Amino acid sequence: MENSAFDQEESAKFAGQAFSTDFERQQKDPKSSPASNLPRKSRKDQPGLRIFGHSTDQSDSNATTLPGEHSIDEDPNEEMSSAGPNLEKMSDAANGELSRTDNPNKKVGSRKKYRSRSTSASSQDSFSSGSYSGSSSDEETVSPREKTQKNSKGFTDFCVRRIEQASYGRREIEIAEQEMPGIMALRNKAKDDKPLVGAKVVGCTHINAQTAVLIETLIALGAQVRWSACNIYSTQNEVGAALAEKGVPVFAWRGESEEDFWWCIDKCISADSWQPNMVLDDGGDATHLLVKKYSSIFKLMKGIVEESITGVHRLYQMSQSGKLLAPAMNVNDSVIKTKYDNLYSCRESIIDSLKRTTDIMFGGKQVLVTGYGQVGKGCAQSMKAMGCVVFVTEIDPICALQACMDGYQVVKLNEVVKQVDIVITATGNKGVVTREHMDKLKNGAIVCNMGHSNTEIDVMSLKTQDLTWEKVRTQVDHIIWPNGKRLVLLAEGRRVNLSCSSVPSFVVSITTCTQALALIELFNAPAGRYKADVYLMPKLMDEFVASLHLTAFDSHLTELSDDQAKYMGLAKTGPFKPNYYRY
């Protein structure tokens, strides 16, 4: 028996497309199926602040004042600096990775000390320290914006670090495809129907091998796309080159400045003979630019898909204030994204991040995890499994009780700050770890962030005259106190797993499936189904995404009999849980 995954009569029509999930056939013969801050910027440009030992895009690689880079906190009403001709300054409406100091005019001492630990190549870009998402080309001094590049077919509508790296990026993408069964199955099922013909998608996400699989899936389903990065450190240069070689307009490279960042997004939106009608966002930056600079285009949007806490927070604010002019899908809070990406991805990638950057031995270390949401749960589980003594801080009594029941001691940061070896922030809030806390940390303590916002660790408070910064590896800085104490700061307080390592492709397959389905749903929805508001994904979509991945485990679902389905009040093809079910 063959059933449509999103049947209209079952209140789950899949955007008007005949996507046959054929659950029964998959269960009987699994082989018949094809195999969840704003931005992310770097250091604030401080007058007279000279930083040594950092690879930059400036001509003087030994002593450089970094241009237009972000500080750690910002007045939400302050406007951003210009990102090009006629580009308005942008404001930070949420706790994103793009943020400012409360006093934007406050200056850091011009005599702040920053020295390089070594002039060797390994200290500048070590393959053992998370260069998976970077490359040896990070040390190039010429900005990609200043170079003229074209792919093998003469295509020039892109801006990446080095198009010559395309073959390496293609290998990365092929490897990711092998570990992403769900999105590949969706591509195979829907490529003939092409449900996204006519969709013009502006994408602003992390650009890595897994995202490339999503981009090429959207193209296979009929969409036209233009893509930029949502984080200045998470782009894999080789993957960007591979996409450009395939003719994808991609504008991103690892180590962008603030101006570069907004320029790239602007290039995706404002291309000649191009008017986007869909947005796939991670952090809300593309949506924010559309609102601020391209409001006439924003009014004509058919839908917005957002997968981050920060971006979703912005969308709800816009909806409440009447500024949201298009329907938006909150992918971040879908069950399949929250329970899998936030938990399982972070559970594995935090170990990888710390190992690549510090080579630390975990056994016996005392670790503090701030926040016990899904990300915090994943981090705490992995640290505990490695033999660490784990403490948790929480503001929510429900999450705190969960931590207690899972065997963790819930404390206040001040109670353990002098004894812990590792601090991992996972709250999405700001000012969680302050200078006062870091003054009390022991020598050699490691501080890193796993939350979507880079405001959790007060990095700007460390950029003062009394402290010396020593770069030891890519994304690894030692901050040295006058008494010789060293603090190890990873990724300057940004997402450590995306900046310093990689994330599991299988879990990203789940997330990319939700993004693709949300785009298809919004693009094909009949007029009137969605108003200019924020929606959660239909439950049946979550179940469909899960079903696409079960075949990878040779799993076989039990089927309800007619009598059982009637007794439970369920359709035999789902959804199997009410919307209020917590999982």
Side-chain angles (χ1 to χ4, degrees), residues 134-377:
S135 73
S136 60
S137 64
D138 289 339
E139 295 182 81
E140 288 193 8
T141 58
V142 179
S143 169
R145 292 172 60 179
E146 300 175 10
K147 298 188 295 184
T148 300
Q149 301 184 76
K150 61 182 179 180
N151 69 7
S152 60
K153 297 181 180 179
F155 178 73
T156 60
D157 189 16
F158 65 89
C159 189
V160 298
R161 176 65 75 181
R162 287 180 60 205
I163 188 64
E164 295 82 4
Q165 297 177 315
S167 60
Y168 298 100
R170 180 51 51 186
R171 290 295 302 276
E172 295 281 1
I173 296 170
E174 291 170 352
I175 292 170
E177 288 178 345
Q178 297 173 13
E179 190 65 14
M180 299 180 72
I183 191 68
M184 295 303 294
L186 179 62
R187 182 190 298 183
N188 292 331
K189 285 175 176 288
K191 64 183 179 182
D192 293 332
D193 294 327
K194 295 195 180 302
L196 290 176
V197 169
K200 297 181 178 180
V201 183
V202 165
C204 183
T205 66
H206 303 285
I207 295 183
N208 49 32
Q210 296 85 6
T211 302
V213 177
L214 168 63
I215 293 171
E216 293 183 348
T217 296
L218 297 180
I219 294 172
L221 302 190
Q224 298 180 39
V225 304
R226 297 180 69 86
W227 226 268
S228 62
C230 69
N231 185 299
I232 65 171
Y233 282 147
S234 64
T235 296
Q236 284 181 263
N237 288 331
E238 295 86 351
V239 171
L243 289 171
E245 177 61 30
K246 284 285 291 259
V248 178
V250 56
F251 300 83
W253 59 92
R254 186 176 174 86
E256 298 168 355
S257 68
E258 176 182 338
E259 182 183 358
D260 292 335
F261 177 84
W262 292 108
W263 177 85
C264 288
I265 299 176
D266 190 74
K267 288 288 287 184
C268 289
I269 297 173
S270 62
D272 294 336
S273 303
W274 161 272
Q275 182 168 307
N277 53 24
M278 301 289 292
V279 177
L280 178 54
D281 223 343
D282 185 345
D285 304 309
T287 303
H288 192 52
L289 184 57
L290 279 164
V291 173
K292 295 291 289 186
K293 187 180 178 184
Y294 299 101
S295 57
S296 59
I297 297 178
F298 187 64
K299 295 177 182 178
L300 303 176
M301 284 286 157
K302 296 200 66 172
I304 302 164
V305 176
E306 174 59 59
E307 73 149 337
S308 74
I309 294 173
T310 301
V312 166
H313 178 59
R314 283 175 150 185
L315 289 174
Y316 281 118
Q317 286 182 329
M318 292 172 63
S319 178
Q320 292 169 3
S321 62
K323 296 180 180 179
L324 184 62
L325 304 178
M329 194 74 79
N330 172 6
V331 170
N332 179 73
D333 292 312
S334 64
V335 172
I336 200 74
K337 197 272 184 184
T338 300
K339 293 293 183 180
Y340 292 85
D341 191 327
N342 294 11
L343 176 63
Y344 297 116
S345 176
C346 294
R347 188 173 70 180
E348 296 195 20
S349 60
I350 182 60
I351 295 288
D352 189 31
S353 302
L354 289 168
K355 281 289 189 183
R356 288 186 189 225
T357 52
T358 66
D359 304 314
I360 191 174
M361 177 80 176
F362 290 110
K365 293 293 190 300
Q366 297 191 49
V367 179
L368 175 67
V369 178
T370 66
Y372 202 67
Q374 295 300 320
V375 173
K377 287 180 175 69

Side-chain angles (χ1 to χ4, degrees), residues 369-415:
V369 178
T370 66
Y372 202 67
Q374 295 300 320
V375 173
K377 287 180 175 69
C379 294
Q381 287 177 16
S382 58
M383 292 292 103
K384 184 177 181 180
M386 295 299 293
C388 297
V389 178
V390 181
F391 302 97
V392 170
T393 66
E394 250 303 337
I395 62 170
D396 186 329
I398 296 175
C399 293
L401 183 58
Q402 286 180 314
C404 292
M405 297 294 285
D406 289 338
Y408 305 108
Q409 185 174 351
V410 179
V411 299
K412 292 184 177 180
L413 201 159
N414 283 328
E415 296 172 355

